[in-house]
Amino acid sequence: MMLLVLLSLIGSLGTVVGVPPNQVKWCVKSAAELRKCVDLTNVAPGFSCVERTGTLECITAIKAGEADAITLDGGDVYTAGLINYNLQPILAEDYGVGSETCYYAIAVAKKGTGFGLKDLRGKRSCHTGLGKSAGWNIPIGTLLAMDAILWGGVEEKPLEEAVSEFFSASCVPGATRTSNLCRQCSGDCSRSHSEPYYGYSGALQCLIDGAGDVAFINHLTIPVAERSKYELLCKDGTRQPIENYMNCHLAKVPAHAVVTRKDDQLAELIRTSLTAVKGFNLFSSSNYAPNKDLMFKDSAEALVKVPQNTDAFLYLGAEYTSIIHSLRREQSPAASTAIRWCAVGQAETNKCDTWSINSVGDDGTMIECLSAPTVEDCLKKILRKEADAMTVDGGEVYTAGKCGLVPAMVEQYDAAKCGQSDASASSYYAVAVVKTTSGLTWNKLKGKRSCHTGVGRTAGWNIPMGEIYQTTKNCNFSTYFPSGCAPGSDPASSFCRNCAGSGKSVGDEDKCQANSAEQYYGYAGAFRCLVEDAGDVAFIRHTTVPENTGGNGPDWAQGLSRGDFSLVCPSQPDATVSIDNYESCNLALVPAHAVVTRPEKHTDVVRVLMNQQARFGCSSTGDFKMFSSTSGKNLLFHDSTRCLQQITAGQTYQQFLGSGYMNAMSSLRQCNDNTPALEKSCTFHSCQQKN
C-alpha cells in the first residue's frame, strides 16, 4: 500500500523528481505542448518537461523550483513579475524585420461586414485569452480609453461583467465559464490548448467559424494567402487591408518572453540550452496540428537575450504597464498634493527628511521622501510611479529620457536670471584639472590615473571619455587610464581601484558606489581624489575648484589655493592653463542639472517646487535651505543653484540637452559598456523607443 502511495506521489510530481540539476525543466500547459516538449527532450537531453493545468500554475511551479521556464505573453509577464512570484524575462521572441521583439495588436473582421472599431457594442468577439496582450489588455484598454466600454472601476462591477455587457457574446478563454464571455467558445473556455479557440490561431478560428464578428489577435496570425478575406479595424473608425497593420493597429507591444526565477546561473543555463538545440524547430507546431504556437509562437524566428537585470516592468515598459493598471482600476487613495522625492544615499535622505518636515503647510506635507542606493534605482522608482521626481545631471537626463521621463525644471546658477521668464537655461563647463606641479598636459594624460564624478555623468565621464574615444576609437578606457576612481563602475574594474569608499578600514561595501557614501563621488569627490593623490587628473565642473579652495569647502580642502591646480584641454594639448580661464580651456559647455519626472506629473512637480523655493530658496532666512548642504556637498541640488527655472511642458530631453550634447552621447554609446543597464532595458524593444 505504501509503495502505491509513493508511486502515486511521484507520478503527481510529473518529471520534477529525479531531474539532473543541469536540466532545464520546461513547463507546458496541455497534452499537445507536452508531446512537443517530449520530442524536444529526445534530441536535447538538457531539457525535461513539467506539465501543469494553466499559465498561473506554471508560474507558481517556477517560483517553487518545480519548473524552470515558460514562454509568456506580455500580460502574463506582468503577472509573473509581481512580488509574490518575482520572475524575470531573460529571452524575447524575435519576429523578424518590421517587428523584431515587438508585435502589433490588431482588431480583425471579415471583409464586407461594414462596422468599425467604434461600432462594436452588441457584436460578438473572439479573444486569445483573459489577461493576454493582443487578445484582452490592449483591445479592452483601447475601448475603455475611447469610452466605448463604460466602467467605473471594480467598486462598481468587475471588468469582465462590463465587457460582457458590451459584447452580445464572446469567447474569452480563462473567463468565468458560466458568463457571457465563454458563450461562443467551442471547448471548456480554459486558457489552454484544450480550448480550440484559445490563443492567436484559436481566436482567428473563432472568427472563421462565425462564432464571432471581430477577433483580437496580432499582425502575424493570419496566413498571407488568407489576408484578402479580412480587414483591420482602425482606431479612427476606418478599415484597412491586413498588410497595413503598421498604420492601423491598436498598439505595438513587447514580444512573448521566456521567464524564470531571478537566478543568474539558471538564466544562463536556459539560454545556452536553447541555443544548443539542433535538429529540432522550436518555432514550429506543424507536427502537432491543429494546435499552433506550442511552447513558442510559430511566427518567432529567433530568441534574443534580454538585457541583464531587466525586470518584468522594464521589459513591458511604462506605457504597457499603465494599460494593465487601467484595467484593474482599483479604488485609488485620496489624492495627495505632495510630490515624492527620491534621494540617493543616506546623506541625501537625511536632507530630504528635513525638507519634508519643513514642507508641512496648510495643505499638508508638500514633500515626501523615498530613497534608493543609486540614481538608476531612483529612476526606476519614478518609472514605476513609486516616486515622482529627482535632480540628475545631463547624462542621467539622457538615460531618463530614453526611458520616457521628461525634464521639468533646471538649476539656474546666475541669480540675475532668476525670475526672468525668458532667461536662458543655465549651463557649466566640463573641465580637466591637474595639480600645477605635476607638469601634465592633455597630451600627457595617457597612462595616468583618473578621477571621475561617476560613470554616466556629464562632466565626469560622458564628455571626457567621449573626447578620448574620438581620438582612440577604443572602448576599453582602462588602456588609456590604467587605474582611477569612477563610482558606479564594476567593482572588479580598474576604475574602482583607487576609490576611497566610506573610509572603513575593512569590509567597505560603499567603495566605488555611485552615491555620497563614496568619498570620491560627485564633483567635490572627484576633486578630493586628485587632492589626496588617488589620481593625476580630475574631470569636474569649472566651479568645483573655487568652491573647495581659499578657505572654502570641508576639512579635507582646508589649506588649498586655486593656484595649486591648473586646467588641461584638447584645444591647448601641450599647455596648462589657469583655473580661471575655463572659458578658453574646457572640454564642453553642457546643460545644468535638471529635475526629471513622468510627463503626466510635470505640472504638479513645477507647482510644488515653485512653492518650495519661494519658502526655502536662497532668500530663505530659516534653518532649512533647498540649495545648501550642511552634511555633504551638492545634496538633492547643486549648492551653487540660485533658483529652479521651469522647462516648458512638452520639451523633449533631446531639445533640453541640445544637438552638441546629443552627438557626444551618440558617439559614446558606440561603446556598449558605457550604456547604463537601465538605458539598455528601456531601449531593448523597438516598440519602447519613442524618444
Side-chain angles (χ1 to χ4, degrees):
M1 183 64 180
M2 281 295 292
L3 179 61
L4 288 174
V5 171
L6 182 59
L7 289 173
S8 175
L9 177 61
I10 292 173
S12 70
L13 292 176
T15 58
V16 175
V17 176
V19 173
N22 61 341
Q23 274 195 337
V24 174
K25 303 186 292 287
W26 201 273
C27 199
V28 298
K29 302 176 295 180
S30 67
E33 277 202 330
L34 181 59
R35 289 199 305 274
K36 180 176 179 179
C37 184
V38 169
D39 288 346
L40 170 63
T41 65
N42 290 333
V43 298
F47 291 89
S48 60
C49 309
V50 176
E51 186 177 12
R52 292 292 184 268
T53 56
T55 300
L56 191 59
E57 289 76 12
C58 275
I59 291 172
T60 303
I62 295 171
K63 169 66 175 176
E66 298 164 0
D68 296 326
I70 187 175
T71 307
L72 300 177
D73 105 308
D76 295 325
V77 168
Y78 176 86
T79 300
L82 294 174
I83 193 167
N84 41 326
Y85 303 114
N86 204 29
L87 305 186
Q88 67 175 357
I90 60 168
L91 291 163
E93 291 184 341
D94 188 319
Y95 307 119
V97 177
S99 51
E100 293 90 25
T101 59
C102 300
Y103 60 85
Y104 294 88
I106 58 174
V108 175
K110 290 179 179 177
K111 184 175 287 187
T113 46
F115 58 86
L117 191 67
K118 300 177 181 179
D119 309 313
L120 292 183
R121 178 175 291 278
K123 298 292 189 292
R124 299 166 304 156
S125 57
C126 304
H127 306 254
T128 61
L130 186 71
K132 286 188 167 288
S133 297
W136 182 264
N137 293 344
I138 297 301
I140 302 307
T142 300
L143 292 169
L144 285 169
M146 293 168 56
D147 291 327
I149 297 177
L150 301 177
W151 180 53
V154 293
E155 317 87 54
E156 176 187 283
K157 67 181 72 169
L159 176 59
E160 288 183 48
E161 184 179 332
V163 176
S164 68
E165 292 171 355
F166 179 78
F167 294 112
S168 61
S170 306
C171 178
V172 185
T176 304
R177 295 182 183 181
T178 56
S179 77
N180 198 37
L181 298 181
C182 282
R183 184 182 301 173
Q184 299 306 97
C185 294
S186 65
D188 61 3
C189 196
S190 66
R191 254 183 50 143
S192 74
H193 293 285
S194 59
E195 165 54 59
Y197 291 165
Y198 168 71
Y200 298 107
S201 58
L204 178 60
Q205 192 63 46
C206 168
L207 180 65
I208 292 171
D209 292 348
D213 304 303
V214 60
F216 299 109
I217 51 179
N218 75 35
H219 74 287
L220 299 164
T221 305
I222 303 175
V224 175
E226 302 292 317
R227 289 183 176 179
S228 61
K229 300 177 182 178
Y230 306 95
E231 290 178 315
L232 299 169
L233 307 185
C234 309
K235 286 195 280 190
D236 63 2
T238 64
R239 288 192 176 204
Q240 289 195 33
I242 299 298
E243 290 77 12
N244 290 1
Y245 59 82
M246 294 182 76
N247 299 315
C248 174
H249 55 264
L250 305 183
K252 194 177 181 186
V253 296
H256 290 208
V258 176
V259 302
T260 188
R261 296 180 295 282
K262 290 184 176 178
D263 180 329
D264 290 343
Q265 287 185 317
L266 176 59
E268 189 57 30
L269 174 64
I270 294 168
R271 293 189 195 102
T272 55
S273 298
L274 287 168
T275 303
V277 172
K278 307 295 180 187
F280 186 90
N281 190 347
L282 295 171
F283 314 121
S284 173
S285 304
S286 59
N287 292 338
Y288 314 95
N291 298 286
K292 295 183 178 180
D293 300 321
L294 302 177
M295 298 179 66
F296 302 92
K297 281 172 63 178
D298 296 344
S299 54
E301 296 184 5
L303 295 172
V304 180
K305 181 180 179 180
V306 174
Q308 197 164 6
N309 299 322
T310 301
D311 60 15
F313 176 86
L314 291 174
Y315 181 83
L316 297 172
E319 185 174 9
Y320 183 79
T321 305
S322 69
I323 292 172
I324 296 177
H325 288 161
S326 73
L327 297 181
R328 298 184 169 220
R329 201 176 289 180
E330 297 158 347
Q331 189 166 13
S332 56
S336 171
T337 57
I339 61 171
R340 295 165 297 174
W341 198 269
C342 195
V344 179
Q346 191 57 52
E348 282 204 345
T349 301
N350 293 342
K351 179 178 177 180
C352 189
D353 288 340
T354 303
W355 185 12
S356 178
I357 293 168
N358 281 271
S359 75
V360 177
D362 294 338
D363 296 328
T365 302
M366 301 297 287
I367 299 294
E368 296 176 0
C369 300
L370 296 95
S371 64
T374 67
V375 171
E376 276 202 16
D377 291 320
C378 266
L379 292 177
K380 288 178 184 178
K381 285 183 180 291
I382 297 172
L383 287 166
R384 292 192 182 96
K385 301 184 180 180
E386 297 169 4
D388 298 318
M390 71 180 302
T391 309
V392 295
D393 104 314
E396 293 153 347
V397 169
Y398 182 90
T399 295
K402 286 288 187 179
C403 292
L405 302 183
V406 296
M409 301 197 82
V410 59
E411 293 180 345
Q412 175 57 260
Y413 310 123
D414 184 348
K417 293 182 178 179
C418 291
Q420 298 180 16
S421 59
D422 59 346
S424 58
S426 206
S427 56
Y428 62 90
Y429 291 95
V431 297
V433 176
V434 298
K435 291 180 179 177
T436 302
T437 56
S438 69
L440 289 177
T441 65
W442 181 264
N443 275 346
K444 296 179 181 178
L445 292 183
K446 185 175 182 180
K448 302 302 180 183
R449 302 163 302 159
S450 55
C451 302
H452 307 262
T453 59
V455 172
R457 295 190 56 167
T458 301
W461 187 267
N462 295 339
I463 296 301
M465 301 320 241
E467 181 71 36
I468 289 168
Y469 174 77
Q470 289 285 5
T471 302
T472 64
K473 302 300 181 185
N474 184 354
C475 292
N476 184 5
F477 295 122
S478 63
T479 62
Y480 200 89
F481 295 121
S483 68
C485 179
S489 298
D490 185 316
S493 164
S494 61
F495 285 105
C496 282
R497 191 175 300 157
N498 296 4
C499 292
S502 62
K504 296 178 183 177
S505 56
V506 292
D508 191 352
E509 65 276 6
D510 294 315
K511 183 173 181 178
C512 206
Q513 290 296 303
N515 63 50
S516 55
E518 164 57 61
Q519 295 178 65
Y520 292 166
Y521 173 70
Y523 298 111
F527 182 49
R528 182 177 182 179
C529 168
L530 173 67
V531 169
E532 296 182 348
D533 201 35
D536 303 303
V537 58
F539 297 107
I540 49 182
R541 60 185 289 160
H542 73 280
T543 59
T544 305
V545 174
E547 289 167 354
N548 292 279
T549 55
N552 300 320
D555 291 343
W556 59 263
Q558 297 306 303
L560 300 176
S561 68
R562 66 175 65 192
D564 296 335
F565 305 95
S566 300
L567 301 177
V568 296
C569 54
S571 62
Q572 302 176 55
D574 296 311
T576 55
V577 176
S578 164
I579 287 294
D580 298 320
N581 290 342
Y582 53 82
E583 290 188 23
S584 65
C585 183
N586 60 75
L587 306 184
L589 182 65
V590 296
H593 291 203
V595 176
V596 294
T597 187
R598 298 182 303 281
E600 74 274 12
K601 290 295 292 184
H602 181 283
T603 301
D604 291 338
V605 168
V606 170
R607 172 182 54 80
V608 170
L609 288 180
M610 292 294 279
N611 167 277
Q612 292 297 289
Q613 73 174 356
R615 295 176 62 188
F616 307 117
C618 290
S619 60
S620 171
T621 57
D623 292 334
F624 176 75
K625 292 182 172 59
M626 287 173 63
F627 311 130
S628 176
S629 305
T630 56
S631 58
K633 295 284 288 184
N634 306 319
L635 302 178
L636 304 181
F637 304 95
H638 197 274
D639 292 345
S640 61
T641 302
R642 294 295 167 260
C643 65
L644 297 173
Q645 289 181 309
Q646 179 179 349
I647 297 172
T648 306
Q651 183 176 359
T652 66
Y653 77 98
Q654 297 102 318
Q655 292 169 328
F656 172 76
L657 293 174
S659 58
Y661 193 93
M662 289 298 297
N663 290 337
M665 290 300 294
S666 296
S667 173
L668 192 60
R669 286 300 184 261
Q670 294 180 51
C671 298
N672 186 59
D673 288 346
N674 282 278
T675 304
L678 176 61
E679 191 176 315
K680 290 178 181 178
S681 296
C682 289
T683 57
F684 173 66
H685 297 300
S686 59
C687 46
Q688 300 304 107
Q689 295 178 31
K690 300 183 182 301
N691 297 297

